[in-house]
Amino acid sequence: MLKGSNPDGRINKFVPKKRMKAIQLRLGLMVISISLIGLAGFSQEDTRLKAMKIHREVYTIDSHNDTPMSFGDADFDMAERHDYLNGGSRMDFPRMKDGGLDGAFFAVFTGQGPLTDEGRRNAYERAKATFDNIYKTAAQHADLAGIALSPKDGYRLNKEGKTSMFIGLENGYPIGLDINRVQEFYNLGTRYITLCHSKNNDICDSSTDKAGPVHNGLSDFGKQVVEKMNSLGIMVDVSHLSDKSVQDVIAASKVPVIASHSCAKAMCDNPRNLSDELLLALAKNNGVIQMCILSAYVKNPEPNPARDSAENTIRQKYGDWSKLSPEDQKKARSEYKVVRQKYPEALATVSDMVDHIDHIVKIAGIDHVGIGTDFDGGGGLADCMDASQMENITFELVKRGYSKKAIAKIWSGNLFRVMNEAEAYALKQKK
Ligand SMILES: [Zn+2]
């Protein structure tokens, strides 16, 4: 058990004085309102206050965002508040504080390029540059945030009133064919690796590669990578993997695995989501699936041909993303943002997403579900558009009768259980 916490990951959280006063004032008002309505029942506002209180008391972590893609931009500052409506990011330290989000896994993301020596080398260079940017951001804002390597670090930083920056490697492409890189990325703070992204790579088959499977799941090299990750204490992330790859990973891994940002296929038929069969396998493995709040994974979108064609034009203009220079990637990103503003889609809601949680709890149990926003990588719901709105998720859970204990598991307890198990297994190997 960790100091200052209980087994569910609950902890006495740092609440700024001003905020505490506001909470106390609102609690006072709640007492008045309860006496006004007598014992007739709790109002919506009371439920909101109960949710706020729980949200501030449990440790909250988002297991996946792609915000580090902006860290290298000269005009991007994590300590500044950004406006996603004007093309800004969905995540920064001030809005994480507003939304009571204590920590997050910041992704070192590499788009899948060609499986050539040059492609692998470029991916490695890009990944290294992103690690650099993450460390620079943490150093620049050491008063606001710190790098976290374990749940224990997360709790400690939280007590200090700081945001925890965990690191995940999204796509094992930068490993190339060099198994020693797994250790190198571990040394740089990586605590999970999403084995592939939208296309097949040297490690495994992807769920969205139009070419179909090339390894029939996890490759032989992939098996070595999983073994190495187990031995170091890096969690294996099965988001983006083909169903067969997920099955192979679960069979190969000596410890529970995670899906850092995926949803339930039974609720939304998307190749990025996990079938009930895989959810059961994940539960048996004692792993966890972290709900991605990307609208298209939560609910099938309404057709939007004007937007599709505008996005297609940008896709054709820029070609292969992995071959673009950082400047061109930035240009393409801002063009996508303009199109998305011009042709907005009807986004799924927090309630739609919590339907997935209900389903997973029914199929796999409360110990196997969490939250991974995918902010700045496509994530965002109608009523959870950025890090400042995370409380809406807890509100919906409270409305549906989830206990504080269950909510603590969803917000961090389950993910941290897997992380601790991965670390404990690695320690045992070293002895
Ligand atoms: Zn992703």
Side-chain angles (χ1 to χ4, degrees), residues 62-80:
D62 160 26
S63 60
H64 189 85
N65 69 67
D66 286 304
T67 313
M69 284 201 284
S70 301
F71 285 6
D73 298 349
D75 54 356
F76 183 84
D77 185 346
M78 267 300 274
E80 270 171 23

Side-chain angles (χ1 to χ4, degrees), residues 11-156:
I11 189 165
N12 295 326
K13 294 212 310 183
F14 170 84
V15 180
K17 245 188 200 159
K18 234 169 140 188
R19 181 104 204 166
M20 194 45 115
K21 270 200 177 152
I23 291 173
Q24 281 165 347
L25 181 68
R26 296 188 76 181
L27 286 173
L29 289 174
M30 185 174 84
V31 172
I32 295 168
S33 77
I34 286 173
S35 39
L36 285 177
I37 59 171
L39 295 172
F42 283 99
S43 69
Q44 174 102 336
E45 178 67 0
D46 299 333
T47 311
R48 169 67 83 176
L49 288 168
K50 183 181 171 191
M52 266 177 65
K53 190 168 179 291
I54 292 176
H55 192 81
R56 299 285 155 174
E57 282 173 1
V58 301
Y59 188 92
T60 51
I61 186 165
D62 160 26
S63 60
H64 189 85
N65 69 67
D66 286 304
T67 313
M69 284 201 284
S70 301
F71 285 6
D73 298 349
D75 54 356
F76 183 84
D77 185 346
M78 267 300 274
E80 270 171 23
R81 206 175 285 274
H82 300 80
D83 179 8
Y84 62 86
L85 288 172
N86 285 314
S89 79
R90 292 176 189 267
M91 195 109 176
D92 48 50
F93 297 139
R95 281 179 300 166
M96 285 177 81
K97 274 272 178 244
D98 290 352
L101 187 57
D102 301 320
F105 269 88
F106 289 84
V108 173
F109 166 72
T110 323
Q112 188 58 52
L115 294 172
T116 58
D117 287 348
E118 195 198 352
R120 295 178 185 111
R121 197 167 47 240
N122 288 341
Y124 173 72
E125 298 299 336
R126 283 204 182 135
K128 293 275 282 195
T130 307
F131 276 107
D132 254 17
N133 290 333
I134 291 175
Y135 278 91
K136 271 183 202 152
T137 299
Q140 205 183 339
H141 302 297
D143 52 332
L144 300 175
I147 299 288
L149 303 176
S150 65
K152 214 171 165 178
D153 285 347
Y155 296 137
R156 175 183 48 79

Side-chain angles (χ1 to χ4, degrees), residues 198-218:
S198 52
K199 288 181 184 168
N200 307 326
N201 62 13
D202 295 308
I203 298 170
C204 63
D205 295 328
S206 163
S207 62
T208 48
D209 195 322
K210 289 189 180 82
V214 295
H215 305 291
N216 188 31
L218 194 62

